[in-house]
Amino acid sequence: MHVYPSELVALITQRWEAMSAAAEGGGEPGTGVLPGKEALERLISTCYQVSMMREEDRPVTLRLILAPSTLFPPDQGPPKGFLRLLFSSPRPFHEYELRRLSPAIDFERSLIAVEPHPERTFQIWGVVNSGIRWLQEERGGNKKTKQLPDVFVVHVTGPGMLTLCRGLKIIATLNGGRIIDSTANAFHSMWMNKLFTKERNLLLQLHEQFRASVLYPVARIQDDFIENLQFQILKRVLSVSRMSRHGGTFIVFADEHPLEWATGDNPYLLIKYRFRQDEAIQRQQNLMIRTIRLATTALGDIKDPDKVITWKDYVDLRHESSVYDLEEALYEHAQFVANLAAVDGAVVISNRGPIGFGAMIVGSLDKLTEVAIASDAEGKMVSLVKIEGYGSRHRSVYHLCNTLHQVMAIVVSQDGNIQLAKWRNGIVTCWDLTTQMFIGDT
C-alpha cells in the first residue's frame, strides 16, 4: 500500500469515534466497536492484497463484515432481513481464502463474515446474504429494508480500491494506495450546489405557481429537497453506467439549456446522434416536477398551509405505494441515459435531459499538461499531476473543461472508477467519486 497503514488506521479510528460520539443511544452487543490497531491493520492489509488478485481472470470484488454471528437471527433473510449461514468449521482468514470464496459470494447480495480469533487474529465464520435492497439509494427503489449492523465493513471493488464503512456509512476510501477522505465528496460542495441553482429556482417558482392554482393544501418545498433530487438522478445514471462495466463519458451543462449545442455545429463537440429539442427531451424536468407535487400534496396540511417538506420527509414517503410508479419512472430514465454511453463518444446532457450521444471532443483545444486532484469537496486542497499518465478519454475531457469552463464532465472507467472534472480556481480540478458518492447518502 502506498499509504502507511498506521495513517489509515488513525483516520478510521478518529472518524469512528466521532460517529460514536454523535450517535444517540447504545447499539446491540458486538456493535460500535473497532478491533485493536494491529488487528485492524492486518484486516485492511489482507483486503488490499486480495484486491490486487484475480480469480479466473476477473478482478476480485467482495464485501466483508466484521461481526459476530449472534447479530443475525437464524430465522431471517432477504428482502427484509439477513440470512446468516455458518460454516461447520471456521475458515482461515487470509487473502488466498478470500480470493477462493469471492466467486460464490456475489458482491451485491452477500458478505463474507469475519470475527476475531485469539490465535489467528481473525477467522471466517460464514456468509451473510443481505439481498440487494441496500443498493436502493444508488439505483433507486422505495422498498423497506433492514440496515446493516453498526460494525466495520470493507468493500473490495477493484485493484487497490477499498471502501471502509461503519455499516453503510463511509469512513474513508482507498484508491490506488491513496486515501480519499469521505468529506471530499463533490456532491456535498457549495460550488456544485451553485451550479444547479438556476434550474432549482425555476422548479421552486413553478411549484409556487402550482400551489396558488389549486384549492387543496399543498406544502412548500425546501431548496435542498430539489438539490437532493437533482443529485440522486445524476447518481443513478452514473451507477448504472458503472455497473455495466463498459465505461462512459458524460458532459453536463448544468446551469443552462444549451440549444446551440444540439441544433448546430460547434468547434469543440461533434455530436453524432442529436435529439430533437421537443417536449420529450424535458422528461427529466417533468419527472422532477411530478415528484415535488406528489410529495407536497401527499404531505400537505390544511391546518398548516406553509408547511415545508424536507428531503427526509420524501425518503419516508418513498416507502408508500403512491410513489412506486414515479420512482420506477425516475430509475428507468436514469437507465436510459446511462445506456447511451455504450456507444463510442460522450453523452451530452443538460439539467432537463439528454441532448445527444456519441459526441466526440474535437477542434483546437488549449494545450494542457497537468490537472489538480482535489482532496476536499471545494477543491481548495489539491495536488498537481501530469495528464500524460491518463488515458485518451480522460485527457480529452480535461482539455474540454480547460476550454469550456461551464462544463462539468464525468468519466466512468471500465474498471469502475468514476472521476469528475470541472474548471475550478484557475485550473481543471478532479474529484474521485468511485464509491463514496453511492453509499451512506439519504
Side-chain angles (χ1 to χ4, degrees):
M1 294 163 55
H2 298 165
V3 300
Y4 293 106
S6 58
E7 179 185 356
L8 181 57
V9 168
L11 175 63
I12 293 169
T13 302
Q14 178 186 9
R15 293 204 170 276
W16 191 279
E17 292 175 351
M19 289 178 176
S20 296
E24 296 181 3
E28 299 179 66
T31 65
V33 179
L34 278 176
K37 177 179 178 293
E38 292 184 3
L40 189 57
E41 286 185 11
R42 165 83 183 277
L43 180 70
I44 295 171
S45 178
T46 301
C47 290
Y48 186 86
Q49 294 302 319
V50 77
S51 79
M52 305 302 291
M53 296 178 171
R54 299 182 73 84
E55 177 64 24
E56 296 183 353
D57 203 34
R58 296 190 302 267
V60 174
T61 60
L62 58 87
R63 288 187 294 153
L64 180 146
I65 186 168
L66 178 60
S69 59
T70 52
L71 285 182
F72 305 97
D75 59 345
Q76 294 185 7
K80 295 183 179 180
F82 302 100
L83 173 65
R84 69 108 178 98
L85 296 169
L86 295 166
F87 291 144
S88 56
S89 298
R91 302 295 302 177
F93 176 75
H94 51 68
E95 58 268 31
Y96 301 103
E97 188 73 9
L98 292 176
R99 185 189 67 181
R100 285 190 288 266
L101 279 171
S102 62
I105 313 302
D106 185 280
F107 178 90
E108 297 182 0
R109 289 178 165 82
S110 299
L111 304 95
I112 296 174
V114 176
E115 64 184 356
H117 187 277
E119 298 177 3
R120 299 190 296 268
T121 310
F122 297 103
Q123 65 182 8
I124 302 171
W125 60 257
V127 176
V128 175
N129 179 216
S130 65
I132 61 173
R133 286 192 181 180
W134 70 281
L135 287 166
Q136 287 187 130
E137 284 303 319
E138 174 182 344
R139 300 183 180 179
N142 46 30
K143 297 180 175 63
K144 292 184 178 180
T145 184
K146 190 172 182 179
Q147 294 294 311
L148 278 176
D150 193 24
V151 295
F152 190 63
V153 177
V154 181
H155 295 211
V156 177
T157 56
M161 297 164 57
L162 305 181
T163 304
L164 310 170
C165 306
R166 182 169 178 163
L168 284 179
K169 297 294 183 182
I170 290 179
I171 303 171
T173 298
L174 192 70
N175 193 345
R178 183 167 60 92
I179 296 175
I180 301 172
D181 194 334
S182 60
T183 59
N185 191 334
F187 282 88
H188 297 163
S189 66
M190 294 178 62
W191 71 261
M192 189 176 287
N193 178 290
K194 293 179 180 178
L195 200 63
F196 291 85
T197 296
K198 185 176 180 180
E199 179 70 9
R200 199 155 54 242
N201 289 340
L202 174 60
L203 292 172
L204 285 170
Q205 180 182 351
L206 291 174
H207 182 61
E208 287 303 311
Q209 292 174 358
F210 172 71
R211 292 182 70 241
S213 68
V214 297
L215 299 177
Y216 49 87
V218 178
R220 296 183 181 275
I221 199 77
Q222 263 193 353
D223 183 77
D224 68 348
F225 176 102
I226 303 177
E227 178 187 349
N228 275 288
L229 183 58
Q230 289 172 324
F231 293 163
Q232 283 294 322
I233 293 173
L234 182 56
K235 287 179 182 182
R236 291 180 186 184
V237 171
L238 300 178
S239 167
V240 173
S241 179
R242 179 177 182 242
M243 291 300 175
S244 69
R245 293 295 181 180
H246 58 60
T249 301
F250 300 87
I251 298 172
V252 183
F253 292 85
D255 199 30
E256 57 182 331
H257 188 49
L259 285 174
E260 64 273 16
W261 296 102
T263 57
D265 295 330
N266 63 79
Y268 307 117
L269 280 175
L270 177 61
I271 305 176
K272 185 174 183 180
Y273 303 102
R274 291 191 182 99
F275 292 121
R276 182 174 296 177
Q277 299 300 295
D278 58 13
E279 184 178 352
I281 210 66
Q282 299 187 37
R283 177 163 176 77
Q284 177 173 306
Q285 185 187 63
N286 291 336
L287 288 173
M288 293 178 69
I289 292 172
R290 287 173 56 191
T291 300
I292 294 168
R293 290 181 179 178
L294 184 148
T296 53
T297 299
L299 299 173
D301 187 349
I302 195 170
K303 297 180 180 179
D304 184 7
D306 289 323
K307 180 180 179 181
V308 178
I309 301 303
T310 67
W311 178 251
K312 185 180 183 303
D313 295 328
Y314 175 65
V315 170
D316 295 337
L317 184 64
R318 285 164 64 181
H319 300 305
E320 303 296 331
S321 59
S322 60
V323 299
Y324 280 7
D325 288 347
L326 187 52
E327 276 287 305
E328 184 177 354
L330 285 165
Y331 174 67
E332 287 299 329
H333 177 75
Q335 180 86 42
F336 168 73
V337 174
N339 288 343
L340 299 177
V343 171
D344 287 342
V347 180
V348 183
I349 58 180
S350 74
N351 49 32
R352 299 186 184 181
I355 294 172
F357 62 104
M360 307 303 294
I361 298 174
V362 296
S364 177
L365 297 172
D366 294 338
K367 291 183 178 181
L368 183 70
T369 59
E370 59 185 13
V371 295
I373 304 298
S375 56
D376 70 317
E378 300 300 334
K380 295 181 180 179
M381 300 172 59
V382 300
S383 56
L384 301 181
V385 299
K386 299 292 184 181
I387 70 171
E388 60 189 17
Y390 289 92
S392 58
R393 178 181 289 173
H394 285 82
R395 293 199 306 270
S396 63
V397 159
Y398 300 155
H399 283 295
L400 183 67
C401 291
N402 193 52
T403 301
L404 299 178
H405 295 175
Q406 72 269 37
V407 163
M408 180 175 73
I410 303 175
V411 178
V412 183
S413 302
Q414 290 182 345
D415 61 7
N417 277 306
I418 302 177
Q419 188 184 73
L420 182 151
K422 181 76 174 67
W423 175 269
R424 286 282 298 159
N425 302 320
I427 191 171
V428 176
T429 306
C430 304
W431 288 262
D432 190 313
L433 301 178
T434 303
T435 54
Q436 62 186 26
M437 63 179 283
F438 295 126
I439 305 170
D441 289 337
T442 55

